[in-house]
Amino acid sequence: MLNIDAIHLREINLPLAHPFETSFGVTTSRRILLIELESEGLTAWGECVAGEHPYFSDETIDTAWIITESELAPRLLEADVERGGDCPNIFRQVRGHRMAKAALENAVWDLEAQARRVSLAELLGGTRGVIPCGVSIGIQPSPDHLMDKIATELAAGYQRIKLKCKPGWDVNIFEAVRDRWPDITLSCDANSAYRMKDLENIVDWDRFNLLMIEQPLWYDDFYFHSMLQKRLLTSICLDESIRNRRDALAAIDMESCRIINIKVGRVGGFSEAVAVHNAAEERGIPVWCGGMLETGIGRSHNIALASLPNFSLPGDVSASSRYWTQDIIEPQVTVSAKGEITVPTTIGRGFEVQRDRIESITVRRQRLLAKARVTA
C-alpha cells in the first residue's frame, strides 16, 4: 500500500530562456503548478502542464489548483492506493480536468517506482535505453531569425525540426527552409489554426516532404481531419483531439490521422497515455511524445514515457537549456550530439529536484494532510 501522508501544491514562476510563439500567442514565462507527495519518508513529484490561459486546453493553472485542492487531492488522501494505475478510478467522479489529474497521478507513479525500487521507465513498461529527440521551434520575428534558430538546433544534433505555423507563416517559410535544407526531417504544427477554406493551401504542402502536419484543423475534430487526410499524401498527426484511448481508436478507424502525438498531461496521466500508446501500436500507428514547456519534473516524466516501444518518432523532449536558464532538477536534461537522451535507470524519475531553487521561486502553496489511519 502507498500510504500518502501529505500532498503539497506549489505555484512557481519560471521565466523562459527565450520567448516561445505559437498560433495562440507568445509565452515569455510560466506559472506552473507542482505537486509533491509525502509517503512514509519518500517524496514524489508531479507537474501540471495547464497554461495561464485556456487556449491549448480548457484548463488553466488556476482551475487546476482549485480542482486539485477541493476535489482530487482529498480523494487521493482518502483512498487505498496500491499503484499509480489506481488513480483513474479514484478520480472517476470528476469529469474532465485531465491535466490536474495527470499531475497527481504521475506523482503516484513516481512514488510507486520508488517504493518498488525500480526506474519510472521500467515501471511504465519502457524498453528503450535512449530516445530520439526533435525540437519545436516557435514562430520567429523574421525568416532570418528562424533560419538561425534551425541552424543552431541542427548543429546541436536534433533529429527532427518542427515548425509552428499559422496562416501567413507557412508556405513561404516551408519553401525557404526546404531550399536551404532539402533533406532534414521536417514537420509543422498548426495548433488548430486552419479551417476547411484553407484546404487547398494545406494540400499544397505535400510538395515540402513533411514528416507530418500536426493538428491543422479544429482542436476537437476527427471528421474534417479525415476529409483532409484523404486529400493529402503527407500524414496528419493529431494532438489536441486525442484525449484518451477511445479517441485514438476513433481517429484511427476514421482515418483522421496516421500519427498520434501523446502528451501525458493532455490525456490525464500515465495510465491513459500507456493505453493510447498500446492502442496505436496494435494498429500500426506510430506515436511520439509531445511537450508543453515543462520544467525538468515534467520533462523527466516525458523521458520515461517515451521509452515505451511504439514511440518510434523523435519527440519534443529536448534539453533543459532550450527553455530554461536554470531548471529545477539535477542533473539538467541534456541531449547528445546524436540527438538522443539517455533514459535513466536509477530508482524513480532519475533526476533530483532542486528544493532550494523551487522554494526560491514559489509564490503560492498549500499543504493537505491525510486523516489519521486506524490500524488493527
Side-chain angles (χ1 to χ4, degrees):
M1 192 69 67
L2 301 174
N3 295 317
I4 299 173
D5 303 313
I7 299 175
H8 299 259
L9 286 70
R10 285 187 180 84
E11 179 186 335
I12 63 171
N13 287 358
L14 196 59
L16 287 163
H18 310 282
F20 190 79
E21 182 175 352
T22 72
S23 60
F24 299 131
V26 182
T27 301
T28 57
S29 66
R30 290 291 320 279
R31 296 173 56 208
I32 299 168
L33 168 58
L34 298 180
I35 299 294
E36 181 187 5
L37 306 182
E38 293 182 20
S39 174
E40 300 179 329
L42 298 176
T43 59
W45 293 81
E47 176 175 341
C48 181
V49 298
E52 293 80 2
H53 305 284
Y55 299 163
F56 176 86
S57 159
D58 50 9
E59 291 183 78
T60 70
I61 180 177
D62 293 312
T63 65
W65 185 287
I66 291 169
I67 206 70
T68 300
E69 181 181 18
S70 63
E71 297 284 350
L72 301 177
R75 281 173 165 78
L76 186 59
L77 287 170
E78 293 169 4
D80 292 328
V81 185
E82 295 184 2
R83 58 193 182 89
D86 293 339
C87 289
N89 189 51
I90 294 169
F91 300 148
R92 70 186 185 283
Q93 191 174 2
V94 178
R95 294 189 181 184
H97 300 282
R98 292 181 300 277
M99 292 178 176
K101 290 176 178 177
L104 282 168
E105 180 184 329
N106 295 349
V108 176
W109 280 86
D110 175 19
L111 179 62
E112 181 186 356
Q114 293 181 52
R116 293 179 181 269
R117 301 192 61 79
V118 298
S119 71
L120 180 57
E122 180 181 348
L123 183 63
L124 290 169
T127 60
R128 297 177 181 274
V130 296
I131 60 172
C133 302
V135 288
S136 177
I137 299 180
I139 295 166
Q140 299 296 305
S142 70
D144 286 343
H145 280 86
L146 177 65
M147 297 300 170
D148 291 343
K149 194 80 169 176
I150 294 173
T152 298
E153 305 300 4
L154 291 174
Y158 286 102
Q159 298 184 22
R160 184 265 290 146
I161 300 294
K162 182 175 82 173
L163 305 177
K164 294 290 186 177
C165 64
K166 63 181 181 179
W169 185 270
D170 46 31
V171 173
N172 291 341
I173 297 303
F174 303 154
E175 287 178 340
V177 173
R178 272 296 180 225
D179 283 346
R180 182 165 173 181
W181 294 287
D183 299 320
I184 63 170
T185 301
L186 183 68
S187 67
C188 69
D189 181 7
N191 289 116
S192 309
Y194 296 86
R195 296 295 178 258
M196 290 303 286
K197 64 181 176 61
D198 303 307
L199 186 144
E200 295 303 326
N201 176 38
I202 298 172
V203 169
D204 181 53
W205 298 357
D206 272 338
R207 63 191 172 98
F208 299 116
N209 189 29
L210 301 173
L211 173 65
M212 68 186 94
I213 299 170
E214 187 177 353
Q215 199 73 38
L217 304 176
W218 294 268
Y219 72 94
D220 56 356
D221 172 72
F222 298 144
Y223 176 73
F224 290 105
H225 279 104
S226 177
M227 292 176 61
L228 176 58
Q229 182 65 92
K230 290 178 173 61
R231 294 282 310 276
L232 281 166
L233 297 175
T234 306
S235 294
I236 289 177
C237 170
L238 288 183
D239 177 357
E240 292 97 314
S241 295
I242 307 298
R243 302 164 300 173
N244 48 48
R245 175 184 169 90
R246 290 179 289 106
D247 284 345
L249 292 173
I252 293 168
D253 287 350
M254 292 178 66
E255 299 182 355
S256 303
C257 64
R258 300 182 191 135
I259 298 171
I260 291 175
N261 169 350
I262 300 180
K263 290 176 177 166
V264 64
R266 190 194 71 231
V267 301
F270 280 132
S271 299
E272 199 65 37
V274 173
V276 173
H277 165 276
N278 293 347
E281 184 177 38
E282 290 161 7
R283 287 153 182 79
I285 299 294
V287 302
W288 56 279
C289 185
M292 291 287 290
L293 299 179
E294 293 94 342
T295 72
I297 292 172
R299 200 169 300 271
S300 66
H301 291 163
N302 289 346
I303 292 169
L305 180 66
S307 70
L308 271 66
N310 196 38
F311 283 89
S312 55
L313 299 174
D316 285 343
V317 187
S318 48
S320 296
S321 60
R322 287 202 70 250
Y323 298 104
W324 315 111
T325 302
Q326 183 182 354
D327 207 337
I328 59 174
I329 57 166
E330 287 283 352
Q332 296 202 8
V333 177
T334 57
V335 175
S336 75
K338 295 181 179 179
E340 296 174 336
I341 291 175
T342 299
V343 178
T345 57
T346 50
I347 294 170
R349 297 180 315 277
F351 298 86
E352 295 294 327
V353 299
Q354 295 179 327
R355 187 173 290 275
D356 290 346
R357 167 81 168 140
I358 290 173
E359 290 293 341
S360 71
I361 56 177
T362 294
V363 297
R364 177 170 48 153
R365 70 179 70 220
Q366 180 62 280
R367 184 184 187 213
L368 304 176
L369 298 174
K371 296 178 181 178
R373 293 183 172 86
V374 177
T375 58

